[in-house]
Amino acid sequence: NAGVTQTPKFRVLKTGQSMTLLCAQDMNHEYMYWYRQDPGMGLRLIHYSVGEGTTAKGEVPDGYNVSRLKKQNFLLGLESAAPSQTSVYFCASSSWGAWGSAEAFFGQGTRLTVV
Amino acid sequence: AQTVTQSQPEMSVQEAETVTLSCTYDTSESDYYLFWYKQPPSRQMILVIRQEAYKQQNATENRFSVNFQKAAKSFSLKISDSQLGDAAMYLCAYRSEEKLTFGTGTRLTIIP
């Protein structure tokens, strides 16, 4: 049981470059999330999805885009990377109510450095 | 918007002693969950304990227990008989149907 898989695990970008982070889950969860973690700031929600084909903005969405074309995948894109986007990124998935425990399952994180 | 506040950026405890980490939250919803996650240096997110808002009884998992005060919107974590392996960042989280919101975390150090 793979759970939640994030790729890549590490990446160094130059300012202005673009990239896509992939999150894949095999638990048939409806809800998926992208967070960034910076020292002293906990996990801050970037974007989230409540089902296939839906996305919504979280707390810090600027500079990021997302897509959920398939239920099992949630992609996070950086169109023009900036040094302020240097962070550790986490993907998570969960169920809700009668379909599960509401617990979120997390990927292993992606350490992104923008130089 | 829901907010989660952890007012203790760092805590330390002597091995085998008991420590309590505090967490408060703000919400107008009635149906929600609260969680404590542990994040060791490996960055892995590990669920420690879960509390459903409709349950009055405090959740317990082995050496970990919570004090859930719904009216006060407080959700503290008590770790009994602290062990070296408990050293980590502890993150309090609030879950409504759509969103999962985290506090800023408490870094726990265990003193041998």
Side-chain angles (χ1 to χ4, degrees), chain A residues 88-100:
Chain A
V88 177
Y89 292 84
F90 284 95
C91 175
S93 73
S94 68
S95 57
W96 177 259
W99 295 273

Side-chain angles (χ1 to χ4, degrees), chain A:
Chain A
N1 188 357
V4 180
T5 303
Q6 280 181 241
T7 52
K9 291 185 171 50
F10 302 93
R11 186 71 185 270
V12 178
L13 284 180
K14 293 183 178 179
T15 297
Q17 285 185 321
S18 63
M19 78 164 294
T20 300
L21 282 68
L22 172 63
C23 178
Q25 54 99 0
D26 62 2
M27 295 171 283
N28 201 35
H29 286 162
E30 291 291 335
Y31 301 87
M32 296 188 74
Y33 311 88
W34 275 107
Y35 294 91
R36 60 177 291 172
Q37 185 175 31
D38 303 293
M41 304 190 77
L43 272 70
R44 292 183 294 168
L45 183 63
I46 304 171
H47 286 281
Y48 64 100
S49 170
V50 302
E52 181 178 317
T54 74
T55 62
K57 294 181 180 179
E59 181 185 358
V60 288
D62 294 343
Y64 305 95
N65 56 76
V66 289
S67 65
R68 183 114 180 256
L69 299 179
K70 294 183 178 180
K71 186 176 184 179
Q72 64 268 33
N73 295 336
F74 195 30
L75 279 63
L76 178 70
L78 286 72
E79 290 187 345
S80 179
S84 61
Q85 294 177 304
T86 293
S87 188
V88 177
Y89 292 84
F90 284 95
C91 175
S93 73
S94 68
S95 57
W96 177 259
W99 295 273
S101 65
E103 170 192 353
F105 294 81
F106 285 83
Q108 293 180 307
T110 297
R111 180 174 291 281
L112 175 66
T113 302
V114 182
V115 298

Side-chain angles (χ1 to χ4, degrees), chain A residues 9 31 33 35 37 40-43 45 48 50 88 90 94-96 101-104 106 108-111, chain B residues 31-33 35 37 39 42-45 47 50 89 91 95-105:
Chain A
K9 291 185 171 50
Y31 301 87
Y33 311 88
Y35 294 91
Q37 185 175 31
M41 304 190 77
L43 272 70
L45 183 63
Y48 64 100
V50 302
V88 177
F90 284 95
S94 68
S95 57
W96 177 259
S101 65
E103 170 192 353
F106 285 83
Q108 293 180 307
T110 297
R111 180 174 291 281
Chain B
D31 187 15
Y32 57 89
Y33 293 78
F35 303 94
Y37 282 88
Q39 189 181 37
S42 66
R43 292 203 313 247
Q44 182 183 5
M45 293 287 287
L47 179 68
R50 166 180 51 240
M89 176 72 79
L91 292 151
R95 171 82 201 274
S96 64
E97 181 170 354
E98 285 196 356
K99 293 185 181 179
L100 176 63
T101 304
F102 285 86
T104 51

Side-chain angles (χ1 to χ4, degrees), chain B residues 23-86:
Chain B
C23 173
T24 59
Y25 60 96
D26 187 26
T27 185
S28 57
E29 299 185 2
S30 58
D31 187 15
Y32 57 89
Y33 293 78
L34 297 162
F35 303 94
W36 280 98
Y37 282 88
K38 172 184 177 182
Q39 189 181 37
S42 66
R43 292 203 313 247
Q44 182 183 5
M45 293 287 287
I46 302 166
L47 179 68
V48 174
I49 200 164
R50 166 180 51 240
Q51 176 78 45
E52 292 89 338
Y54 65 86
K55 290 187 177 179
Q56 293 187 345
Q57 186 173 6
N58 290 326
T60 300
E61 290 286 344
N62 301 314
R63 297 183 295 107
F64 298 87
S65 61
V66 298
N67 184 4
F68 174 44
Q69 301 290 328
K70 190 172 183 179
K73 297 178 182 175
S74 172
F75 183 60
S76 61
L77 175 69
K78 185 171 80 172
I79 306 174
S80 304
D81 185 25
S82 298
Q83 300 175 359
L84 294 177
D86 294 333

